Amino acid sequence: MADLADACDGRFFLGERDGLGREASALMVGAMSLPGILDRLTEGAAVIIPSDRAAALLPGLIAAHTSPGFPALSAVILTGGTELPDPVERLLRGMAIPLPVIATDHDTFDTATRLSAVEGRFTPEAGGKTDTAVRLFAEHVDGALLLERLDIAKTDVVTPLMFEYELLDRARARRRHIVLPEGEEPRILRAADVLLRRGVAELTLLGDEERVRVRAAQLGLDLDAARVLSPFDPELRERFAREYAAARAHKGMNVELARDTVTDVSYFGTLMVHTGMADGMVSGAAHTTAHTIRPAFEILRLGLVSSVFFMCLADRVLVYGDCAVNPDPTAGQLADIAIASAGTAALFGVEPRIAMLSYSTGASGTGAEVDKVRAATELVRERRPDLQVEGPIQYDAAIDPTVARAKMPGSPVAGRATVFVVPDLNTGNNLYKGVQRSAGAVAVGPVLQGLRKPVNDLSRGATVADIVTTVAVTAAQVSDDHQGSPFPDRDAIRHRERVWGRARDARLTLAYVARARRWTFEGGWWHGRSVLTPPLGDVVRRRA
């Protein structure tokens, strides 16, 4: 639409300025009365009408654009330069008009002639064309072969642009299924359009299907490839109520209470992930963090849940954890956070070199907080001797090679750290926000760790680009064995108690139990055979 506006010397007059980035699928001159025009509207058309008849036609066209029974338009173009009557203009300016209205001083014939000669171009505003082109390039060009034939210097540094490219490329290659519970939020709809055009993920939106589809059409978005589900779907509501009641029976939950709980979009989306109907969930654009992640904590938790932020600086990507979940972790929990954060960093192509942050470096300080970090560092070394970790260490010594040579010479981590583990939430939250605002870094996250399947939270101020990135992160977090887990947490606990009895090994973790059998899927059942010595017993079956 921006190209069309330029071609007719048009100016934005009313409505939604963002709609100038839409694509117009057809041009139509509205020279008839309103009923005749309404009968001839087509999807995505830009309608040209004379401004001296706008008082009679424009309100009806806007109403048609917002009505489920009519095609969505790309824009309305007013010709002739005649001003609207004052009462009509005041009426229109007081309305929420979800499409751009453009005004031009050229007459109708001249405007139509100019616009019919316009050829579509790639411009920065043509987001839909760009996204489609990116997807087609990825589908039809052998990127690996192209890179092999280009003379490009290799580097271990991960820049923000490289991080974003690798993230989207990984997601496109795997095409995971992500559920977006806030299906009627405009930013979510715009992000869904981008994700589908780029082929990043398969999507399910939650909400009333008619309202979601109409709103998407009003915004000029193509969401035909997305599935829309109502959280009040009677069959799924009943199924999820039984699942949730079983998972929370130890907390007194029953099916009757669960029927009301599962219609909440966060619970419904999480239960889709839990039951294998989706691989991951992204929410929070219109809900609080607590509302978004509470169901995941109740249903998908494996152990300690923590988070990281990917901090995209001008020349590198750093990982900060935990800046969103645990207020005051113990030394053991801090070690768990460090190990989990290193794993997340490696998953996204950032070589993990862990700095356990404190107000003291090495053996120079004492006190409860420093001792906690020192103990956590030793635990990381004991549990994962393959990881490079240093602590306690101050931020300047962790990030700056010059300071590192003075404070901690010879350290493989000091001055080169990529994963920064903070001692508490107060420090972490202020650290990431300070770097984000002061250094102009882009903060991607929080990315949750410690769940069986990925669920991630959005800031309520998230942009469309933020949502696209978070969905790609979530898709990349899905492991290859998350194709319908045979063991919910509750069943894993009971299975461990049954087969190991007498607390034979109280340290056996849920993750170990879930993987303690080799699973195959046949005839609607999961079949698990022990891969441990001594064996866990006979073949076990679980209904999928």
Side-chain angles (χ1 to χ4, degrees), residues 441-509:
V442 175
V444 177
V447 178
L448 297 184
Q449 308 168 142
L451 300 173
R452 282 192 297 112
K453 297 183 182 181
V455 170
N456 284 313
D457 177 45
L458 296 165
S459 162
R460 278 173 285 175
T463 65
V464 172
D466 294 335
I467 297 167
V468 169
T469 302
T470 304
V471 170
V473 166
T474 305
Q477 281 184 286
V478 180
S479 64
D480 292 331
D481 59 355
H482 278 171
Q483 303 302 312
S485 170
F487 274 135
D489 289 350
R490 172 183 50 82
D491 288 344
I493 294 170
R494 292 179 179 175
H495 180 66
R496 180 184 64 182
E497 292 173 349
R498 182 173 69 251
V499 298
W500 285 84
R502 294 186 301 278
R504 181 169 169 177
D505 188 348
R507 293 173 297 175
L508 187 66
T509 64

Side-chain angles (χ1 to χ4, degrees), residues 217-540:
Q218 291 171 357
L219 295 171
L221 308 174
D222 179 8
L223 300 185
D224 289 346
R227 180 171 59 167
V228 181
L229 281 179
S230 169
F232 292 93
D233 178 279
E235 182 179 342
L236 290 176
R237 182 181 184 182
E238 187 63 27
R239 176 186 173 187
F240 289 169
R242 293 196 300 270
E243 289 280 352
Y244 183 64
R248 301 293 288 174
H250 62 289
K251 293 290 186 178
M253 181 57 64
N254 57 50
V255 174
E256 289 71 24
L257 292 173
R259 286 193 187 99
D260 292 329
T261 301
V262 301
T263 57
D264 177 276
V265 291
S266 292
Y267 277 94
F268 194 93
T270 303
L271 284 159
M272 283 185 65
V273 176
H274 172 66
T275 57
M277 291 181 63
D279 295 314
M281 183 183 96
V282 173
S283 188
H287 293 91
T288 65
T289 295
H291 184 274
T292 298
I293 67 177
R294 182 183 296 115
F297 277 45
E298 292 179 0
I299 301 167
L300 300 175
R301 182 199 295 259
L302 272 176
L304 179 70
V305 178
S306 60
S307 71
V308 296
F309 279 88
F310 289 96
M311 304 301 297
C312 300
L313 299 165
D315 60 348
R316 72 188 85 179
V317 175
L318 303 177
V319 179
Y320 289 1
D322 170 15
C323 303
V325 178
N326 294 284
D328 188 18
T330 64
Q333 290 172 331
L334 209 54
D336 290 339
I337 292 168
I339 293 169
S341 300
T344 302
L347 178 65
F348 291 96
V350 178
E351 183 181 352
R353 293 186 290 272
I354 309 167
M356 307 293 285
L357 296 181
S358 177
Y359 60 78
S360 174
T361 295
S364 65
T366 59
E369 291 302 312
V370 179
D371 292 342
K372 178 177 81 169
V373 174
R374 185 174 289 114
T377 305
E378 291 306 315
L379 287 172
V380 173
R381 288 172 175 153
E382 289 176 12
R383 297 175 187 176
R384 289 291 304 276
D386 57 307
L387 291 176
Q388 296 184 64
V389 59
E390 196 68 76
I393 188 171
Q394 292 162 291
Y395 193 96
D396 60 349
I399 195 73
D400 189 319
T402 303
V403 177
R405 283 193 293 271
K407 291 189 173 183
M408 193 167 276
S411 169
V413 173
R416 303 174 62 241
T418 56
V419 177
F420 297 79
V421 179
V422 297
D424 54 58
L425 186 57
N426 184 49
T427 304
N429 195 262
N430 282 287
L431 172 64
Y432 102 80
K433 288 183 176 177
V435 173
Q436 180 185 34
R437 301 299 178 185
S438 301
V442 175
V444 177
V447 178
L448 297 184
Q449 308 168 142
L451 300 173
R452 282 192 297 112
K453 297 183 182 181
V455 170
N456 284 313
D457 177 45
L458 296 165
S459 162
R460 278 173 285 175
T463 65
V464 172
D466 294 335
I467 297 167
V468 169
T469 302
T470 304
V471 170
V473 166
T474 305
Q477 281 184 286
V478 180
S479 64
D480 292 331
D481 59 355
H482 278 171
Q483 303 302 312
S485 170
F487 274 135
D489 289 350
R490 172 183 50 82
D491 288 344
I493 294 170
R494 292 179 179 175
H495 180 66
R496 180 184 64 182
E497 292 173 349
R498 182 173 69 251
V499 298
W500 285 84
R502 294 186 301 278
R504 181 169 169 177
D505 188 348
R507 293 173 297 175
L508 187 66
T509 64
L510 287 180
Y512 191 30
V513 171
R515 295 170 183 149
R517 294 179 178 275
R518 181 172 290 113
W519 293 93
T520 57
F521 183 76
E522 297 175 11
W525 290 84
W526 284 96
H527 300 261
R529 186 176 301 278
S530 173
V531 294
L532 297 182
T533 303
L536 293 179
D538 298 333
V539 172
V540 174

Side-chain angles (χ1 to χ4, degrees), residues 1-14 20 27-29 46-54 58 75-84 100-115:
M1 280 311 308
D3 289 346
L4 295 179
D6 290 341
C8 67
D9 301 318
R11 60 190 179 276
F12 178 78
F13 180 58
L14 286 171
L20 293 174
L27 294 173
M28 174 183 176
V29 176
V47 182
I48 305 167
I49 62 173
S51 56
D52 60 355
R53 298 188 60 208
L58 186 54
V76 176
I77 301 169
L78 308 180
T79 63
T82 303
E83 293 186 1
L84 291 175
V101 178
I102 298 165
T104 177
D105 293 332
H106 296 289
D107 62 32
T108 301
F109 179 79
D110 187 21
T111 300
T113 301
R114 287 168 175 257
L115 298 189

Side-chain angles (χ1 to χ4, degrees), residues 116-182:
S116 63
V118 174
E119 294 183 0
R121 296 181 296 134
F122 278 95
T123 65
E125 294 78 22
K129 292 180 181 178
T130 303
D131 294 331
T132 301
V134 169
R135 175 178 58 81
L136 291 173
F137 184 91
E139 289 178 354
H140 298 288
V141 175
D142 189 334
L145 180 61
L146 180 62
L147 285 173
E148 187 178 304
R149 295 187 177 183
L150 293 175
D151 184 15
I152 300 175
K154 302 294 184 182
T155 175
D156 293 331
V157 176
V158 179
T159 66
L161 191 60
M162 292 165 59
F163 177 77
E164 180 184 3
Y165 175 82
E166 292 291 344
L167 185 60
L168 294 174
D169 193 53
R170 180 196 297 256
R172 268 194 299 269
R174 306 174 87 201
R175 291 283 293 181
R176 299 304 191 186
H177 186 168
I178 306 300
V179 58
L180 303 174
E182 298 156 324

